[in-house]
Every structure is written in C-alpha cells, then in structure tokens.
Amino acid sequence: CVIPRNNRADLRKLPVFAGLSKRALARVDALLTPVAFSDGDVLCQEGKLGREAFVIVSGEVEVSRGADHLATLGQGSVVGEMALLGHGPRTATVTAAGDVEALVMSAQEFASVLAEPEVAHEVQRVAAQRSGVLAAA
C-alpha cells in the first residue's frame, strides 16, 4: 500500500539520512516511495533476486535465514540493500512484525541515493556489520 506524499516521514529523523544537507534531503526524498506493510507481509524473500531496498520508518521487521531468526530491526534500519550492493539474490527473509511503514527504492534509485557520500558511508557501515552477522549465522 502506497502512503500519500503529504504523510511522508521526516527523513532527518532517520539515522541513514540525518547528516544530509537540505538540498541532498530533497534529492533523496524525490527518489523514495512510502509504503505500508501489515503483520506477516514479506518485504524481502531469501534466495529471490533483489530489486529494491527499504528504509523502515516505523514498526519492526524480523530478519531470518531458513528457520533461524537473525535480528529484529526497527526505525531507521535499511533492509534489502545487501542484494543490491552484491547484485545477487537476497541473503535473508525480512517479514513485517506488525504494521510497518517504510520507504522503498528501486535498484536504480538506490544507486542514486548512494551518490550522497553521507548515505553511502552509513549504508556501507551497516552492510559490513550485517555481512559479519550473516557469515556467523
């Protein structure tokens, strides 16, 4: 479900975008589409081709690989980025745990968002942490 533009989140409240200038925020905001998920909806499916990434605005998501629970993530978390960075299949399944509002971006939009150095640094930091967690799982 797409959320109307006038109900969009303040991007500055999300850590991945907190360091951006007003101009950069406006460019990033134009690339993001707000969407809503209900409890149990799957945002990303392990093994499937990754075509988009999500920034969680509110609510929580569960991250799992097979039957193993890897993490619970909430506001400000970026999910789905690993497949876009690696140009491969999803490494985990991400499922809404209750109502979730998120910002979605296609692979092309994700690449444009990463053109902002502050965002690229934060996404790479998170991806490096996740790579370690996923390798240990």
Side-chain angles (χ1 to χ4, degrees):
C1 173
V2 176
I3 299 169
R5 257 199 176 320
N6 60 349
N7 291 340
R8 292 182 71 128
D10 181 357
L11 295 182
R12 281 189 206 98
K13 293 180 181 177
L14 303 173
V16 70
F17 303 125
L20 296 182
S21 68
K22 285 184 182 182
R23 185 176 179 168
L25 275 171
R27 284 195 305 266
V28 168
D29 185 54
L31 297 171
L32 304 172
T33 301
V35 293
F37 297 95
S38 298
D39 187 40
D41 287 349
V42 175
L43 286 71
C44 304
Q45 180 69 48
E46 180 181 354
K48 300 280 184 173
L49 180 63
R51 297 175 194 250
E52 66 276 317
F54 303 87
V55 179
I56 306 303
V57 174
S58 67
E60 292 185 331
V61 296
E62 300 292 335
V63 182
S64 60
R65 178 184 284 154
D68 297 328
H69 178 267
L70 300 177
T72 300
L73 302 174
Q75 182 181 26
S77 297
V78 179
V79 297
E81 82 289 353
M82 298 290 287
L84 298 182
L85 290 170
H87 305 288
R90 302 281 190 196
T91 56
T93 296
V94 179
T95 307
D99 292 337
V100 172
E101 289 187 12
L103 300 169
V104 63
M105 61 195 112
S106 69
Q108 183 177 354
E109 292 163 337
F110 182 71
S112 295
V113 168
L114 288 183
E116 298 299 332
E118 299 91 346
V119 174
H121 179 269
E122 179 67 10
V123 168
Q124 290 169 348
R125 182 187 67 75
V126 169
Q129 285 178 334
R130 290 215 185 118
S131 291
V133 169
L134 291 173

